[in-house]
């Protein structure tokens, strides 16, 4: 369900096709029920599927998906789309059997790295490190082989710029040994961030009346902690 297709203007939506048949979400769900088909619904906020902006409207994608600004817009959208989805769940005589919470959640480091604290600015990554290390900067420095004066100096280990093809396959994408704990912590943060998205959007779906099972997904175990999911 592409959010930006159904949003006519901020916080005003068409899910019944009043402004065009391609927005008749209610109608397609009723058609599927008549044809005897069950539905796994993916309301977003992100759906990707090569859809413009991945689903959210342009005003929303200017913000990190865990920022208060994005979440306020996403909650409004989710609660409104749930007015169409909730009555059509199998638990209420409909045909929706599963509902996805967001899609392939991942911290957008390339575009919002500073805002989420991965680089020079404060944010979620630095806050997460403080919790992981119990505010013990000395422990972080010993594990990371660094001499930071503050958790604010800590930066995310970003992707390798190249792959050393002379190494065995299992080692090609690993950084040099001195960076490997930082690398491992960075990926652990990605898993934490992804799980928080699933949890947060899942909470909005429950608030909107979704009672069928809610699930999360990812395209790679490197970018999601499935145990947390």
């Amino acid at each position: 369900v592409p959010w930006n297709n159904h949003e006519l203007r901020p916080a005003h939506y068409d899910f019944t096709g009043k402004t065009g048949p391609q927005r008749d979400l209610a109608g397609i769900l009723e058609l599927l029920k008549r044809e005897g088909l069950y539905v796994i619904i993916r309301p977003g906020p992100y759906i990707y599927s090569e859809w413009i902006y991945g689903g959210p409207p342009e005003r929303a994608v200017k913000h990190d998906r865990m920022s208060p600004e994005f979440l306020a817009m996403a909650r409004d959208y989710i609660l409104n789309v749930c007015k169409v989805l909730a009555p059509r769940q199998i638990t209420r005589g409909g045909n929706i059997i599963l509902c996805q919470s967001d899609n392939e959640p991942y911290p957008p480091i390339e575009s919002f790295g500073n805002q989420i604290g991965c680089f020079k600015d404060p944010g979620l990554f630095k806050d997460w490190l403080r919790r992981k290390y119990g505010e013990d900067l000395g422990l972080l420095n010993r594990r990371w082989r660094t001499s930071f004066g503050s958790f604010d100096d800590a930066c995310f280990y970003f992707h390798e710029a190249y792959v050393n093809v002379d190494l065995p396959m299992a080692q090609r994408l690993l950084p040099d040994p001195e960076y490997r704990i930082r690398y491992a912590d960075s990926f652990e943060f990605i898993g934490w961030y992804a799980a928080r998205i699933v949890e947060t959007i899942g909470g909005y779906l429950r608030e909107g009346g979704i009672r069928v099972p809610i699930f999360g997904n990812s395209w790679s175990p490197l970018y999601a902690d499935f145990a947390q999911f």
Side-chain angles (χ1 to χ4, degrees):
V1 183
W3 172 3
N4 58 22
N5 179 54
H6 291 278
E7 183 176 271
L8 307 177
R9 60 185 188 279
H12 289 80
Y13 311 95
D14 176 9
F15 296 112
T16 59
K18 291 182 295 185
T19 60
Q22 74 277 15
R23 295 190 176 102
D24 192 3
L25 175 62
I28 190 67
L29 290 172
E30 294 297 332
L31 172 61
L32 293 171
K33 183 181 179 183
R34 290 196 300 273
E35 293 296 323
L37 297 172
Y38 295 107
V39 174
I40 297 173
I41 198 81
R42 299 171 57 207
Y46 277 92
I47 57 167
Y48 296 128
S49 299
E50 286 62 59
W51 189 270
I52 186 169
Y53 299 130
E58 184 177 9
R59 66 189 180 96
V61 298
K62 295 176 181 178
H63 303 281
D64 164 44
R65 60 206 282 178
M66 279 297 287
S67 69
E69 296 86 353
F70 181 88
L71 290 176
M73 290 183 266
R75 178 177 176 272
D76 184 81
Y77 160 70
I78 290 292
L79 293 182
N80 275 277
V81 73
C82 280
K83 294 175 184 177
V84 176
L85 305 184
R88 293 172 171 84
Q89 299 173 93
I90 196 166
T91 51
R92 296 174 62 176
N95 56 335
I96 294 174
I97 60 172
L98 290 171
C99 185
Q100 182 172 299
S101 175
D102 211 83
N103 186 67
E104 296 180 5
Y106 168 80
I109 298 157
E110 298 87 346
S111 50
F112 292 103
N114 274 333
Q115 291 92 321
I116 59 179
C118 291
F119 304 120
K120 67 182 180 65
D121 293 339
L124 287 175
F125 179 61
K126 292 177 173 60
D127 295 342
W128 178 86
L129 280 176
R130 287 185 173 92
R131 292 193 300 274
K132 176 179 172 65
Y133 286 95
E135 299 284 353
D136 187 341
L137 183 62
L139 178 60
L140 174 73
N141 278 326
R142 290 192 296 276
R143 289 186 177 171
W144 281 28
R145 304 185 187 184
T146 51
S147 55
F148 297 143
S150 164
F151 277 94
D152 290 335
D153 297 332
C155 290
F156 188 91
Y157 189 93
F158 204 49
H159 303 288
E160 287 279 83
Y162 66 93
V163 174
N164 183 351
V165 294
D166 294 326
L167 291 172
M169 180 64 74
Q171 299 179 29
R172 287 184 185 181
L173 294 177
L174 286 175
D176 293 334
E178 65 188 288
Y179 297 114
R180 286 184 182 175
I181 300 300
R182 184 191 303 220
Y183 179 79
D185 281 348
S186 297
F187 272 95
E188 187 179 340
F189 169 75
I190 289 174
W192 173 86
Y193 181 103
R196 295 293 75 72
I197 290 176
V198 172
E199 178 183 49
T200 302
I201 301 302
Y204 298 159
L205 291 166
R206 289 292 188 225
E207 184 182 354
I210 298 302
R211 296 294 178 262
V212 295
I214 293 172
F215 69 97
N217 76 325
S218 178
W219 55 273
S220 168
L222 290 175
Y223 295 104
D225 183 334
F226 290 112
Q228 287 199 55
F229 275 21

